[in-house]
């Protein structure tokens, strides 16, 4: 009942457009229950019981598998054999002697469709036709399926037809040009599907991660987007952020909870992201580097070496080493004239190297939700941070430009993270900065989501969806609120410095890594 209440609460707040088939509108959510909603209550997959539970949950779709017997009966089951009997070589009467685990008779497609039409207000039937090696038999299955649907007047209940067999889908389109079809195999581009009259893509989610450009291409071409079989919260969140129309899952109840927690339910749209699904240097169209000694009397020297900054294994890795490196700015007369950088020009070498990447001159934003999932480095003396500076820093300087610290962590205080703002009126030089901390359990062992929700009225800082610091706009001057302009993002790990080095540096911990799983920036329409 808790899940049903949650589903009812969120039905009106998710972003996907409800599918309409023959004047029947399906539920306004992206949840497609894979082989029915079977897992929570350990129901047989592809059973009528699992179908009815998907309907009870108000999923937008209930997926099921169709095969054909030796005597041309269409049945609902997944594998090519049933109780060690090869389905295409066995009659339905022989197969039906073996009941499902819950006592149900092996369902025919006719039985399944009739059950799906009972007391069903919003769940569409997603019919997967399983191909065989016999092309003629594949086409026969397509024809008989469409014929049966028409005989039962079940067209309004059919959400879509899906298949790994391209010939099957093309045959369905040939028979019924209004039928909605989705291809499963993942080896055709959106343009190819569009040219062949296929309604959409229903690919494994890793196909989309390897070909992210297909997401935009499909949307531009007006094709539907579905992904299978998605059972992990992180993958669900990524698909929701990318505004997929449908998500096929063995965990519909879990997916409903992820929808409730997703920024898209609040009207946010993903406008910029890096999922780090590549290898090598960070994407140069999204990230730049800082070099050398930067500020805060820190002890590390920032480089763009792959040793210090790289993308590997699906993560941005900022790796900090204890190693001596020459300071290229040593003795720089221009820096010597600037008191805040004089220490850098006076240091001939550094004892540590690390990385600091930023989106300066590449991407910046005014308002929205900035979200970073990361695992932090461990050790006294380390100072990882996720933060932002105003685009006008060069013109007005710091702190007039404003600084937003989405997350700071210091190694000598391992069970806390901080969120802080700095402005002309409120900054650490005056001791007036506005910051708060929150307990975090072993952030170097697990990933956490650090986020900022920023509007003209306030800033909310969140850890794993929990707001722990809120800064209100006092509506005074830019000295208090310089946050009505664009800011760019910075991610780094410092060593030592005025904050990080307060309790010294533990040289036994190196090397250390900060791992970033993703960076996502969401905005609402009025933020653009």
């Amino acid at each position: 009942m808790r899940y049903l209440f949650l589903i009812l609460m969120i039905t009106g707040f998710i972003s996907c457009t409800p599918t309409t088939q023959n004047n029947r509108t399906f539920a306004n959510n992206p949840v497609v229950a894979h082989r029915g909603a079977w897992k929570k209550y350990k129901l047989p997959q592809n059973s009528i019981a699992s179908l009815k539970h998907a309907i009870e949950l108000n999923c937008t779709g209930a997926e099921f598998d169709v095969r054909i017997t030796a005597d041309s009966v269409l049945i609902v089951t997944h594998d090519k054999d049933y109780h060690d009997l090869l389905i295409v070589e066995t009659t339905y009467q022989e197969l039906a002697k073996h009941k499902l685990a819950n006592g149900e008779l092996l369902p025919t497609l006719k039985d399944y469709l009739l059950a799906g039409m009972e007391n069903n207000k919003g769940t569409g039937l997603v019919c997967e036709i399983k191909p065989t090696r016999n092309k003629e038999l594949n086409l026969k299955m397509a024809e008989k399926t469409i014929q049966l649907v028409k005989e039962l007047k079940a067209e309004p209940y059919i959400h879509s037809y899906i298949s790994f067999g391209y010939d099957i889908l093309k045959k369905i389109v040939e028979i019924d040009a209004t039928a909605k079809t989705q291809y499963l195999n993942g080896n055709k581009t959106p343009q190819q599907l569009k040219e062949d009259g296929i309604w959409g893509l229903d690919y494994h989610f890793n196909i989309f991660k390897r070909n992210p450009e297909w997401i935009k291409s499909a949307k531009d071409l007006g094709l539907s987007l579905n992904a299978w079989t998605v059972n992990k919260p992180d993958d669900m969140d990524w698909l929701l952020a990318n505004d997929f129309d449908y998500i096929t899952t063995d965990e519909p109840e879990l997916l409903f909870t992820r929808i409730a927690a997703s920024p898209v339910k609040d009207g946010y749209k993903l406008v910029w992201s890096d999922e780090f699904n590549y290898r090598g240097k960070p994407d140069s169209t999204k990230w730049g580097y800082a070099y050398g000694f930067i500020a805060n009397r820190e002890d590390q020297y920032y480089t763009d070496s792959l040793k210090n900054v790289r993308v590997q294994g699906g993560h941005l890795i900022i790796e900090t080493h204890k190693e001596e490196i020459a300071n290229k700015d040593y003795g720089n007369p221009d820096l010597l004239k600037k008191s805040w950088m004089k220490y850098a020009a006076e240091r001939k070498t550094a004892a540590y190297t690390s990385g600091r990447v930023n989106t300066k001159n590449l991407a910046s934003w005014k308002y929205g939700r900035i979200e970073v999932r990361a695992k932090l480095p461990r050790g006294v003396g380390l100072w990882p941070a996720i933060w932002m500076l105003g685009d006008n820093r060069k013109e007005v300087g710091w702190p007039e430009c404003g600084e937003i610290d989405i997350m700071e962590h210091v190694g000598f205080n391992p069970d806390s993270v901080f969120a802080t703002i700095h402005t002309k009126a409120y900054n650490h030089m005056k001791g007036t900065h506005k910051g708060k901390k929150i307990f975090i359990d072993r952030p170097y062992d697990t990933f956490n989501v650090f986020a900022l929700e920023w509007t003209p009225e306030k800033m909310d800082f969140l850890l794993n969806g929990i707001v722990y610091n809120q800064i209100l706009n006092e509506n005074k001057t830019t000295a208090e609120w310089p946050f009505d302009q664009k800011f760019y993002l910075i991610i780094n790990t410092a060593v030592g410095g005025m904050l990080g080095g307060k309790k010294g540096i533990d040289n036994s911990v190196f090397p250390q890594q900060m791992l970033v799983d993703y960076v996502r920036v969401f905005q609402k329409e009025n933020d653009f």
Side-chain angles (χ1 to χ4, degrees):
M1 289 302 295
R2 178 168 62 90
Y3 285 118
L4 289 175
F5 177 74
L6 171 64
I7 293 161
L8 289 171
M9 288 293 291
I10 67 175
T11 297
F13 297 98
I14 46 186
S15 62
C16 73
T17 302
T19 300
T20 300
Q21 180 80 343
N22 298 92
N23 298 317
R24 186 171 185 269
T25 301
F26 301 123
N28 186 23
N29 65 66
V31 182
V32 176
H34 184 234
R35 306 177 197 168
W38 55 270
K39 191 170 185 179
K40 182 177 175 62
Y41 296 110
K42 298 180 181 180
L43 302 170
Q45 299 178 30
N46 277 315
S47 64
I48 289 175
S50 66
L51 166 64
K52 290 202 173 287
H53 188 48
I55 294 170
E56 181 185 2
L57 290 174
N58 198 34
C59 300
T60 200
E63 185 264 359
F64 60 95
D65 304 296
V66 175
R67 291 189 177 274
I68 192 166
T69 66
D71 53 343
S72 298
V73 177
L74 296 173
I75 62 172
V76 176
T77 191
H78 179 267
D79 296 339
K80 63 183 179 181
D81 52 52
Y82 180 72
H83 284 268
D84 297 323
L85 299 170
L86 194 62
I87 291 170
V88 294
E89 296 179 358
T90 310
T91 66
Y92 176 70
Q93 186 176 5
E94 287 297 313
L95 293 168
K97 291 178 181 178
H98 304 276
K99 293 186 178 181
L100 303 185
N102 66 342
E104 281 185 29
L105 194 67
L106 176 67
T108 65
L109 178 58
K110 180 177 181 180
D111 293 336
Y112 197 92
L113 292 175
L114 289 172
M117 295 164 65
E118 290 180 1
N119 301 315
N120 182 357
K121 294 182 179 179
T123 299
L125 305 180
V126 179
C127 178
E128 178 179 349
I129 301 176
K130 288 290 189 183
T132 69
R133 294 181 180 180
N134 185 328
K135 185 175 181 179
E136 290 184 5
L137 188 59
N138 292 344
L139 301 182
K140 178 181 177 180
M141 275 196 292
E143 290 173 348
K144 285 182 67 66
T145 299
I146 297 296
Q147 180 183 356
L148 180 60
V149 167
K150 290 183 180 297
E151 285 177 3
L152 298 177
K153 295 182 170 46
E155 296 103 311
Y157 293 87
I158 299 296
H159 179 282
S160 53
Y161 298 94
I162 64 177
S163 185
F164 285 95
Y166 206 62
D167 55 342
I168 290 173
L169 297 180
K170 291 179 73 173
K171 185 65 176 179
I172 289 172
V173 173
E174 178 188 320
I175 297 170
D176 183 357
T178 66
K180 292 179 167 61
T181 54
Q182 292 181 318
Y183 185 46
L184 292 168
N185 205 36
N187 61 348
K188 293 187 182 295
T189 67
Q191 185 63 47
Q192 289 175 293
L193 298 180
K194 183 72 173 181
E195 290 172 358
D196 288 333
I198 305 302
W199 182 59
L201 299 73
D202 188 355
Y203 294 166
H204 190 274
F205 59 89
N206 281 328
I207 297 290
F208 291 111
K209 288 188 175 183
R210 291 196 294 268
N211 301 277
E213 69 279 3
W214 285 4
I215 299 173
K216 182 178 186 305
S217 176
K219 291 178 180 180
D220 290 344
L221 291 169
L223 299 176
S224 64
L225 279 169
N226 194 356
W228 59 267
T229 295
V230 188
N231 295 328
K232 293 183 179 179
D234 295 343
D235 296 322
M236 293 175 178
D237 292 347
W238 178 73
L239 294 164
L240 290 168
N242 280 277
D243 199 23
F244 269 60
D245 298 294
Y246 311 106
I247 300 172
T248 299
T249 179
D250 293 326
E251 305 273 6
E253 295 90 351
L254 174 62
L255 181 51
F256 276 115
T257 67
R258 299 316 303 161
I259 292 169
S262 174
V264 301
K265 86 174 192 310
D266 295 323
Y268 282 110
K269 297 286 185 182
L270 188 69
V271 298
W272 188 96
S273 68
D274 198 336
E275 302 293 329
F276 305 111
N277 293 318
Y278 53 94
R279 186 181 179 91
K281 285 186 172 291
D283 186 342
S284 60
T285 67
K286 296 180 178 180
W287 301 102
Y289 299 88
Y291 296 92
F293 292 109
I294 303 298
N296 299 319
R297 299 194 175 274
E298 296 162 5
D299 292 289
Q300 82 295 319
Y301 194 88
Y302 289 122
T303 83
D304 62 1
S305 166
L306 286 172
K307 185 177 184 179
N308 295 119
V309 184
R310 64 187 179 275
V311 176
Q312 182 180 327
H315 302 126
L316 168 67
I317 300 174
I318 296 179
E319 188 165 309
T320 307
H321 290 265
K322 178 168 173 45
E323 60 180 337
E324 190 169 291
I325 185 172
N327 178 11
K328 295 179 181 179
D329 286 322
Y330 171 65
N332 185 324
D334 293 329
L335 294 181
L336 286 166
K337 294 175 184 177
K338 300 175 181 178
S339 61
W340 58 278
M341 282 296 290
K342 185 177 179 181
Y343 78 97
E346 291 176 338
R347 300 183 68 170
K348 191 172 183 177
T349 61
Y352 308 90
T353 60
S354 190
R356 173 165 152 164
V357 296
N358 60 70
T359 65
K360 184 179 180 182
N361 299 323
L362 295 170
S364 57
W365 309 274
K366 182 175 74 170
Y367 313 136
R369 179 184 171 96
I370 294 84
E371 187 174 286
V372 180
R373 186 172 186 264
K375 183 173 8 176
L376 306 183
R378 177 179 186 175
V380 175
L382 291 171
W383 183 7
I386 301 164
W387 53 300
M388 306 180 79
L389 287 173
D391 273 359
N392 65 346
R393 182 190 176 198
K394 186 175 180 180
E395 289 74 32
V396 304
W398 183 96
E400 285 83 353
C401 67
E403 176 179 326
I404 308 169
D405 297 328
I406 299 173
M407 186 286 303
E408 287 184 282
H409 178 264
V410 287
F412 62 81
N413 192 2
D415 61 356
S416 298
V417 290
F418 306 81
T420 312
I421 65 159
H422 299 272
T423 71
K424 184 177 180 180
Y426 308 121
N427 63 78
H428 70 85
M429 303 298 287
K430 294 181 176 180
T432 56
H433 54 290
K434 293 189 172 185
K436 287 185 180 179
K437 67 180 180 179
I438 187 174
F439 172 81
I440 188 168
D441 187 24
R442 302 178 70 83
Y444 34 80
D445 288 341
T446 59
F447 283 90
N448 292 275
V449 177
F450 307 99
L452 164 73
E453 289 194 354
W454 169 24
T455 72
E457 293 79 31
K458 64 183 176 71
M459 290 183 184
D460 286 336
F461 296 86
L462 302 93
L463 172 63
N464 298 324
I466 303 299
V467 177
Y468 68 98
N469 190 14
Q470 184 179 82
I471 307 294
L472 298 176
N473 185 352
E474 300 172 65
N475 295 306
K476 293 181 180 178
T477 70
T478 56
E480 293 79 21
W481 185 268
F483 304 116
D484 291 325
Q485 59 160 326
K486 288 187 174 183
F487 277 63
Y488 62 89
L489 183 65
I490 306 164
I491 302 176
N492 70 285
T493 297
V495 180
M498 291 184 288
L499 177 57
K502 278 187 174 182
K503 300 290 181 69
I505 301 170
D506 181 358
N507 288 323
S508 70
V509 303
F510 295 95
Q512 282 290 318
Q513 293 182 345
M514 179 180 185
L515 302 182
V516 180
D517 184 37
Y518 64 75
V519 179
R520 296 174 189 157
V521 179
F522 301 85
Q523 291 185 308
K524 297 183 179 181
E525 286 189 11
N526 57 357
D527 295 334
F528 296 106

